[in-house]
Amino acid sequence: MKYTLFLSAMLLLQCSKVFSQAPPYHVVFDVTTKDTNTHKAVIRWCNEILSADPNAKIEVVYYAQSLDMVTKGKSVVSSEVSLLAGKNVTFGVCAVAMKKWNIDKSQLLPGVVTVPDGIYEILLKQKEGYAYIKASL
């Protein structure tokens, strides 16, 4: 009887430990618009997340018409992108979209990487447990 009570107590302690742990703060943003207000909002959200949890991992994925946000000479947030790329933020640009819009890797802001397919990149991040956020205003 004592052994059963002891095992039950240990099991309850382990369960409470598992359920009390907060999930990791991992977010993937889906950016498809050329709206510069959305571009500014994404930067603000990244900064707010990192303020709340400096260990958070963020990936911002660009495809469709959003590539101006990470293109030299067109971005309204170029300095912010470069600063955040040095933290736990990854800026990934869809290679398919780059080809469609005739954008070369040399035109991307420093710290920006390419991903083979933006939609598939988002799918992979969700499979890894990242929360999905569609960036729009």
Side-chain angles (χ1 to χ4, degrees):
M1 179 70 173
K2 288 182 182 181
Y3 181 72
T4 304
L5 284 173
F6 176 74
L7 281 179
S8 297
M10 293 305 290
L11 181 62
L12 283 173
L13 281 172
Q14 289 301 320
C15 287
S16 68
K17 195 185 254 188
V18 168
F19 291 115
S20 68
Q21 293 176 351
Y25 203 157
H26 296 171
V27 179
V28 59
F29 286 102
D30 174 349
V31 184
T32 59
T33 182
K34 62 182 178 179
D35 176 21
T36 58
N37 288 323
T38 298
H39 299 180
K40 292 173 186 175
V42 168
I43 295 298
R44 186 178 70 249
W45 297 332
C46 288
N47 281 316
E48 289 169 355
I49 290 169
L50 291 174
S51 291
D53 184 349
N55 296 317
K57 292 183 182 176
I58 304 166
E59 180 156 352
V60 185
V61 179
Y62 302 94
Y63 60 102
Q65 298 182 8
S66 67
L67 276 60
D68 283 356
M69 183 172 171
V70 289
T71 304
K72 293 175 186 173
K74 295 182 180 179
S75 177
V76 296
V77 290
S78 58
S79 59
E80 293 90 342
V81 167
S82 297
L83 285 172
L84 284 170
K87 297 182 181 179
N88 291 344
V89 182
T90 301
F91 295 96
V93 180
C94 175
V96 176
M98 288 176 64
K99 184 176 180 181
K100 179 185 179 353
W101 297 105
N102 297 315
I103 295 175
D104 186 74
K105 287 182 182 182
S106 65
Q107 294 173 272
L108 299 176
L109 297 173
V112 175
V113 300
T114 59
V115 297
D117 180 319
I119 295 170
Y120 189 64
E121 181 70 12
I122 291 168
L123 176 77
L124 291 174
K125 290 300 172 189
Q126 286 179 297
K127 189 173 182 178
E128 293 174 14
Y130 280 61
Y132 169 83
I133 305 294
K134 173 65 179 166
S136 64
L137 293 179

